[in-house]
Amino acid sequence: MTRLMLGRTLERICKGVLLLCLLHFLIMMILYFDVYSQRFDLFSRFNNGRNGSRNNISGAAGSGHHYYYYNLSRPNATLASYLATGEQLVLSMQPDTNQKPSPKPLPPCPENPPGLVGRLLIEFSSQMTMERVQKENPNVTDGGRYTPPDCRPRWKVAIIIPFRHRENHLKYWLHYLHPILRRQRIDYGIYIINQLGEETFNRAKLLNVGYTEALRDAEYDCFIFSDVDLIPMDDRNLYHCYDQPRHFAIAMDKFGFRLPYAGYFGGVSGLSKKQFLKINGFPNEYWGWGGEDDDIYNRITLNGMKVSRPDVRIGRYRMIKHERDKHNEPNPQRFNKIQNTKNTMKKDGISTLTYRLVQVKRYPLYTNISVEIGKPPPRPIKG
């Protein structure tokens, strides 16, 4: 009897131990699969991070692609959902053909461009044609516009030329100046201001017209005013604006390569937009040759500015020889007007400019602006 009871007791103990083992096994299996799922998820994340790092090192991180990981052991995942997500992954990894890489900002243009030649040989004996000049300057766009492709210029320059019946001179000017300006890394446009009709020529008023019309064409902040018959002999004479109004043509061959007098401001000069407005532009009432340059010089000094000039060895110019133009005779009133600049500059200038625009035509090497500017008032009768 005792043995029978002992056997039953041992049997119960064994069954209990077996049940405990089975329960322990089930618990271990549950924990095992749970841990395995987490490890798989972590492994996927690690792999994704490592691949992303490699792509970052190789430059792919900036390409706009996105990287995903998938845990197929998760209980709420279905085959359809993973297939859909996979489709999205494929689409997201395809290159975006519409997206263009943003251009790198250009460096500022050097203050002393490295491609300058220095002293130039200027001659006017060879025949010049517009076709030849156009072939020499393929990078100049319609209207005589050019922008350096490899740097960012400090100034945007409008070059303004008062003009009438000087077609032959214009060919030489364009032939020499376009290559010089390109070597100087200038962002520029060329504007020929053509006075229509045969009334008395008015250089300064045409320059005011050029300033106004150039600003309608582009946002210029620098203006260089040049006679069409003057060619610089050194490309280190940089055609941009300075802290003070600039006089470029300080040593012409017709003056023996010397400045004729201290207040001379003729030939080629430059002012920033701010400087130009400060002096109310140029006078409109100088009809005929002479006097307007001295009036401009007076306006500059009366407004507290000084004229800056290049070194005399760099500011040398050659003039194309020509006869005096008809209807551009010396102005007999110029000396009296120069003496009254202080009284007239506020009421005679860009603020009172009037003219009639007739035509704007863009040629491959320049923009031609034809205008009517009126005629001079009748001169007072002597005596």
Side-chain angles (χ1 to χ4, degrees):
M1 184 70 178
T2 303
R3 290 182 179 179
L4 181 61
M5 290 178 65
L6 181 60
R8 288 180 179 178
T9 302
L10 289 174
E11 183 180 356
R12 289 176 182 174
I13 293 172
C14 288
K15 287 181 179 180
V17 171
L18 183 61
L19 287 173
L20 288 173
C21 290
L22 182 60
L23 180 62
H24 178 73
F25 177 78
L26 290 174
I27 293 172
M28 290 297 296
M29 290 298 294
I30 292 171
L31 292 174
Y32 176 82
F33 281 112
D34 185 62
V35 172
Y36 179 81
S37 171
Q38 294 177 11
R39 288 183 62 190
F40 187 86
D41 187 31
L42 180 63
F43 182 75
S44 299
R45 290 174 182 265
F46 176 74
N47 260 356
N48 180 63
R50 184 173 58 182
N51 290 338
S53 299
R54 288 177 180 174
N55 287 322
N56 283 336
I57 293 172
S58 63
S63 64
H65 296 315
H66 302 281
Y67 298 93
Y68 299 90
Y69 63 88
Y70 300 94
N71 187 355
L72 300 179
S73 66
R74 293 192 176 177
N76 59 348
T78 63
L79 179 61
S81 67
Y82 284 118
L83 288 176
T85 311
E87 248 178 56
Q88 295 173 4
L89 175 65
V90 172
L91 290 174
S92 70
M93 294 184 67
Q94 290 178 353
D96 185 358
T97 55
N98 295 325
Q99 184 178 0
K100 296 181 180 178
S102 57
K104 294 182 179 180
L106 293 175
C109 291
E111 293 184 8
N112 297 307
L116 299 181
V117 177
R119 187 66 60 86
L120 304 171
L121 177 63
I122 307 296
E123 59 87 21
F124 308 117
S125 59
S126 59
Q127 185 179 4
M128 193 60 58
T129 64
M130 283 295 185
E131 291 76 17
R132 172 184 169 181
V133 181
Q134 189 173 346
K135 289 180 181 179
E136 293 170 344
N137 300 280
N139 296 327
V140 177
T141 59
D142 282 349
R145 300 286 294 275
Y146 176 80
T147 301
D150 56 349
C151 64
R152 186 179 69 257
R154 178 183 175 189
W155 299 95
K156 192 174 184 66
V157 183
I159 300 177
I160 297 167
I161 299 176
F163 188 86
R164 187 166 65 181
H165 307 321
R166 294 286 194 91
E167 286 75 12
N168 190 51
H169 294 176
L170 180 59
K171 296 173 188 176
Y172 286 106
W173 192 96
L174 295 169
H175 166 70
Y176 284 112
L177 265 296
H178 271 304
I180 290 174
L181 296 171
R182 293 204 319 274
R183 289 198 299 270
Q184 292 182 357
R185 310 288 183 89
I186 304 294
D187 181 347
Y188 68 89
I190 307 296
Y191 296 88
I192 307 301
I193 315 303
N194 180 35
Q195 179 178 338
L196 296 175
E198 297 301 326
E199 292 291 346
T200 304
F201 195 69
N202 190 325
R203 177 180 180 271
K205 190 171 185 178
L206 291 174
L207 298 180
N208 279 341
V209 173
Y211 170 88
T212 304
E213 291 298 323
L215 280 178
R216 290 181 178 179
D217 194 36
E219 294 183 0
Y220 293 105
D221 52 10
C222 176
F223 301 85
I224 292 179
F225 307 96
S226 174
D227 290 346
V228 72
D229 56 1
L230 287 175
I231 310 297
M233 300 178 65
D234 197 308
D235 62 2
R236 293 172 295 178
N237 195 359
L238 302 179
Y239 272 41
H240 60 69
C241 285
Y242 296 78
D243 294 336
Q244 299 290 333
R246 187 75 165 181
H247 184 212
F248 296 93
I250 66 168
M252 300 183 198
D253 55 353
K254 77 168 186 175
F255 296 136
F257 295 111
R258 297 176 182 177
L259 190 68
Y261 53 92
Y264 182 65
F265 198 69
V268 185
S269 58
L271 292 91
S272 70
K273 184 178 180 180
K274 182 178 180 181
Q275 294 162 359
F276 187 89
L277 293 176
K278 189 173 183 178
I279 66 172
N280 192 24
F282 300 155
N284 298 309
E285 298 304 324
Y286 280 79
W287 297 89
W289 180 87
E292 79 283 352
D293 295 326
D294 296 323
D295 191 294
I296 296 168
Y297 182 87
N298 289 343
R299 290 174 181 235
I300 291 170
T301 56
L302 287 169
N303 280 279
M305 295 183 286
K306 296 181 179 180
V307 171
S308 66
R309 293 185 172 106
D311 185 276
V312 68
R313 293 167 295 181
I314 293 177
R316 296 163 65 96
Y317 279 75
R318 282 203 66 186
M319 175 179 282
I320 306 173
K321 293 182 180 179
H322 59 88
E323 300 295 328
R324 184 175 297 280
D325 299 322
K326 292 182 180 180
H327 309 292
N328 191 29
E329 293 78 15
N331 181 0
Q333 299 175 334
R334 63 186 184 276
F335 299 109
N336 291 332
K337 287 183 175 294
I338 293 168
Q339 293 176 357
N340 291 314
T341 302
K342 186 176 182 179
N343 299 323
T344 59
M345 65 180 179
K346 291 185 178 180
K347 56 186 179 182
D348 176 24
I350 193 67
S351 61
T352 58
L353 175 66
T354 59
Y355 63 96
R356 189 173 81 88
L357 178 64
V358 177
Q359 185 187 53
V360 176
K361 190 169 182 180
R362 301 183 191 283
Y363 292 95
L365 300 170
Y366 63 95
T367 297
N368 185 82
I369 299 175
S370 296
V371 293
E372 292 177 351
I373 60 172
K375 56 184 179 179
R379 295 178 180 175
I381 300 174
K382 295 182 179 181

